[in-house]
Amino acid sequence: MRTTAVSVAMVMCVMMIQADVKPQKDFSLQKFAGKWYRVGFAYDSPGFAPYRDKVKVSMGIITPLPNGTVNLTMWELTPFGCVTQIYQYNKTSVPGHFTYFSTRHNMVKDITVVDTNYTDYAVVLKHKVFNREYTQVALYGRSPRVRHDVIQKFKAFALSQGFPREAILIPPPAENCPLSGSGR
Ligand SMILES: *[C@@H]1O[C@H](CO)[C@@H](O)[C@H](O)[C@H]1NC(C)=O
Ligand SMILES: *[C@@H]1O[C@H](CO)[C@@H](O)[C@H](O)[C@H]1NC(C)=O
Ligand SMILES: *[C@@H]1O[C@H](CO)[C@@H](O)[C@H](O)[C@H]1NC(C)=O
Ligand SMILES: *[C@@H]1O[C@H](CO)[C@@H](O)[C@H](O)[C@H]1NC(C)=O
């Protein structure tokens, strides 16, 4: 009886870690805007596993629009070359917490900026609430390379969120994406 209660408590505890993620305190969208590079990525979907070694660093620009929508323009290296994509995020009443509609999965997802110091790095969690399967954690840097201690912190956070080590990627830089001369 006693052990059962303990294991239930432990299971609850693991679920709470997932649900209890809070955005960066006093999040400022204005300071967060501008250019970022996705330099780290954790994603544990079995379907994604074969593509892990193909991931490259991608560049993105965050543009807050006057009507409250946030545009994220990403340059991604695909088998078809360097492709520009625009994602639109909606602000919520909680600063640092956004929602967007994923056309790929046909559902609304949450984006939480968990930790950022605006000038160097940002840890961003993407999730469909309470559903592990779709959760991703990304590390963004203001430059294509970030400090080693920032990467260690990111890995520790991803492990604490239940990602196995092999699902935590530090991809190599993308060559010529965005194409030189564009997106600057
Ligand atoms: C805000 O403006 C953008 C660009 O014109 C548009 O795509 C988006 O739907 C608008 N958002 C809202 C909430 O009206
Ligand atoms: C934001 O994204 C919308 C939809 O793709 C686009 O029409 C609009 O021009 C973008 N606005 C800015 C300022 O990037
Ligand atoms: C974002 O806001 C627009 C305009 O209010 C709305 O039509 C759209 O459904 C919202 N999307 C999400 C994912 O909440
Ligand atoms: C942001 O983080 C980097 C890397 O840890 C650090 O070097 C820098 O001083 C920090 N900046 C601020 C404003 O805290």
Side-chain angles (χ1 to χ4, degrees):
M1 205 55 212
R2 217 171 190 188
T3 39
T4 310
V6 169
S7 18
V8 168
M10 279 176 66
V11 169
M12 299 270 299
C13 210
V14 168
M15 286 171 68
M16 294 287 280
I17 291 173
Q18 203 60 39
D20 203 33
V21 167
K22 292 211 172 55
Q24 169 66 46
K25 197 166 169 289
D26 301 324
F27 178 78
S28 161
L29 180 56
Q30 203 188 340
K31 286 201 268 176
F32 190 67
K35 194 195 285 184
W36 287 99
Y37 294 86
R38 193 181 69 183
V39 295
F41 186 54
Y43 186 32
D44 192 24
S45 154
F48 179 70
Y51 301 99
R52 276 173 189 160
D53 61 349
K54 298 190 173 58
V55 177
K56 300 275 195 293
V57 169
S58 40
M59 195 185 100
I61 294 181
I62 303 262
T63 313
L65 305 182
N67 67 5
T69 298
V70 178
N71 276 15
L72 168 63
T73 311
M74 289 290 291
W75 283 262
E76 285 164 358
L77 200 57
T78 74
F80 312 104
C82 187
V83 172
T84 310
Q85 303 242 41
I86 299 182
Y87 301 93
Q88 289 202 317
Y89 292 174
N90 287 5
K91 279 201 270 191
T92 68
S93 57
V94 180
H97 182 209
F98 304 86
T99 58
Y100 85 108
F101 184 75
S102 163
T103 45
R104 181 149 34 133
H105 293 126
N106 199 32
M107 64 168 73
V108 175
K109 294 192 183 182
D110 292 88
I111 300 278
T112 307
V113 180
V114 178
D115 183 15
T116 183
N117 79 355
Y118 305 103
T119 57
D120 288 77
Y121 69 88
V123 176
V124 176
L125 186 69
K126 185 197 281 189
H127 49 125
K128 178 181 179 282
V129 183
F130 302 129
N131 191 335
R132 270 288 289 124
E133 200 182 334
Y134 295 99
T135 301
Q136 293 177 16
V137 189
L139 174 66
Y140 287 85
R142 284 293 190 188
S143 64
R145 280 169 164 275
V146 296
R147 282 168 38 159
H148 186 67
D149 58 326
V150 171
I151 291 190
Q152 292 311 313
K153 225 166 95 175
F154 165 71
K155 286 185 174 171
F157 176 72
L159 287 171
S160 79
Q161 292 295 305
F163 289 92
R165 261 171 216 285
E166 65 273 17
I168 306 171
L169 314 176
I170 304 298
E175 306 261 318
N176 218 15
C177 183
L179 303 170
S180 23
S182 71
R184 297 291 140 113

